Amino acid sequence: MRTDFAGEMGGYRVLGQVWGGWWRGPGVSSARKVAGFGTEARRQLQPRGSSKRSGSLGNQSFPGLLQPENLSREELVDVLRASVVDQKGKPGELTLFSVLPELSQSLGLGEQELQVVRASGKEASGLVLLSSCPQTASRLQKFFACSRRAQRPTATYWAVTDGIPATSEGKIQAALKLEYVDGVGSVVPVKSPSRKDILEGVKRTLSHFRVMATGPGCALVQLQPVTVFPSQLQVHMVLQLCPVLGDHRYSARVGTVLGQRFLLPAESTKPQKQVLDEAFLRRLHLTPAQAAQMPLHLHLHCLHLPGTRPRDAPIELLAPLPSYFSRTLQSLGLCQQ
């Protein structure tokens, strides 16, 4: 579970599987199994009291999703501590940020403060990179920045999509901007952005994708963002007419007429719960009400960090899939090819 780094790389923690809801509030799930980090990391991890809360499918808003509202602050710290897959060196609101001091104490860091260095998006699951060392955090941020300038991806996501991309692999490029309507942010694409648009916040974005497995009307897709922009991967998959499963913000931009998909104008399409056809719901063994609570099936699966010495190969960190994600893959028959 522990990898020794040179002194300047001390003081980081990596949480293996954290559901993105902790950015907005409650919503943290522990790793069922952590693979690839030695005997200790491969042990079965269960948050305290999880066996009492598993319940039947009818008692859950979405099967396999931990009910965070039932957790105390102490239990949340236990779940986060159990989710550490590699280790080095707002009060009143139950979020990851609010319990970082307790997590620091629980990990034996004393007065050292933890800070988030890298994480998945607000609604995505996966790896969260924390640091208790300012020098380490700075070096990691420089590594990520240099990698972006060299267009070298450092993060690999897995996504389950409603629809199958037209090609098995490729890249998605789009100019995006963040707009606010009634205080709610929404990312929209911009065609042929001008220099003025770029100066006013429009960003040219790029992601690589590869289809890993397909099923009837669905796919497991590997995504590697080269640039960083809010909701970049969700919007990129919408532009491919294959919204991510559980995308209740942008999936409404994909319309269908006579079985043919097309893009609706982003500026005039309001967010709404994702609509799946009856055959899709039957394969997922979900009711429409459960589907409306479906979490975003976008998971930060792999993260590359710099090696111990400058010439060393990057270190690869892997996060296990959340139980609901694994359940969905099994239901849809999305076995990796």
Side-chain angles (χ1 to χ4, degrees), residues 56-285:
S56 63
L57 294 184
N59 296 328
Q60 294 180 313
S61 59
F62 187 84
L65 189 62
L66 186 68
Q67 298 298 301
E69 61 271 17
N70 295 329
L71 294 179
S72 66
R73 293 180 69 89
E74 293 76 15
E75 288 174 323
L76 178 56
V77 171
D78 288 345
V79 170
L80 292 173
R81 182 177 57 193
S83 295
V84 174
V85 297
D86 195 29
Q87 176 172 326
K88 289 285 176 300
K90 269 182 178 180
E93 185 180 14
L94 191 58
T95 67
L96 174 62
F97 290 114
S98 72
V99 299
L100 283 180
E102 288 99 322
L103 180 60
S104 179
Q105 291 292 330
S106 179
L107 292 172
L109 298 179
E111 299 300 319
Q112 298 180 66
E113 295 183 0
L114 284 170
Q115 59 178 302
V116 177
V117 179
R118 186 74 180 266
S120 54
K122 288 184 178 181
E123 297 178 329
S125 61
L127 288 163
V128 176
L129 183 61
L130 306 174
S131 177
S132 59
C133 172
Q135 291 79 11
T136 294
S138 177
R139 181 181 171 186
L140 289 171
Q141 294 290 13
K142 289 179 180 178
F143 171 77
F144 293 137
C146 290
S147 297
R148 285 194 295 270
R149 287 194 294 269
Q151 295 197 342
R152 184 173 59 249
T154 56
T156 298
Y157 288 77
W158 284 4
V160 179
T161 61
D162 174 19
I164 303 173
T167 58
S168 60
E169 61 181 303
K171 60 183 179 181
I172 308 168
Q173 300 182 79
L176 304 178
K177 67 176 178 178
L178 182 60
E179 291 187 342
Y180 287 91
V181 178
D182 298 328
V184 179
S186 181
V187 176
V188 299
V190 178
K191 293 183 178 180
S192 305
S194 65
R195 179 178 177 84
K196 181 181 178 182
D197 290 330
I198 300 298
L199 293 174
E200 292 180 350
V202 175
K203 183 171 181 178
R204 301 183 192 275
T205 61
L206 169 64
S207 299
H208 296 287
F209 74 92
R210 180 172 67 87
V211 177
M212 301 170 64
T214 61
C218 60
L220 173 62
V221 181
Q222 174 185 285
L223 294 164
Q224 293 182 312
V226 177
T227 54
V228 177
F229 198 81
S231 302
Q232 174 177 316
L233 296 179
Q234 294 98 296
V235 175
H236 278 186
M237 293 314 299
V238 164
L239 294 176
Q240 295 292 299
L241 303 179
C242 300
V244 178
L245 204 60
D247 183 352
H248 304 298
R249 178 174 294 274
Y250 300 105
S251 62
R253 296 179 183 178
V254 178
T256 305
V257 173
L258 299 177
Q260 298 298 313
R261 296 190 172 195
F262 63 95
L263 281 176
L264 294 167
E267 295 82 356
S268 59
T269 306
K270 295 183 178 180
Q272 65 180 41
K273 294 294 184 179
Q274 188 175 39
V275 178
L276 302 173
D277 62 40
E278 292 183 3
F280 209 138
L281 290 178
R282 284 196 298 271
R283 292 199 300 275
L284 289 170
H285 307 291

Side-chain angles (χ1 to χ4, degrees), residues 292-314:
Q293 301 300 319
M294 182 183 297
L296 185 70
H297 281 58
L298 181 65
H299 179 75
L300 178 49
H301 171 65
C302 178
L303 193 62
H304 286 98
L305 302 183
T308 305
R309 293 173 292 274
R311 294 184 180 181
D312 288 351

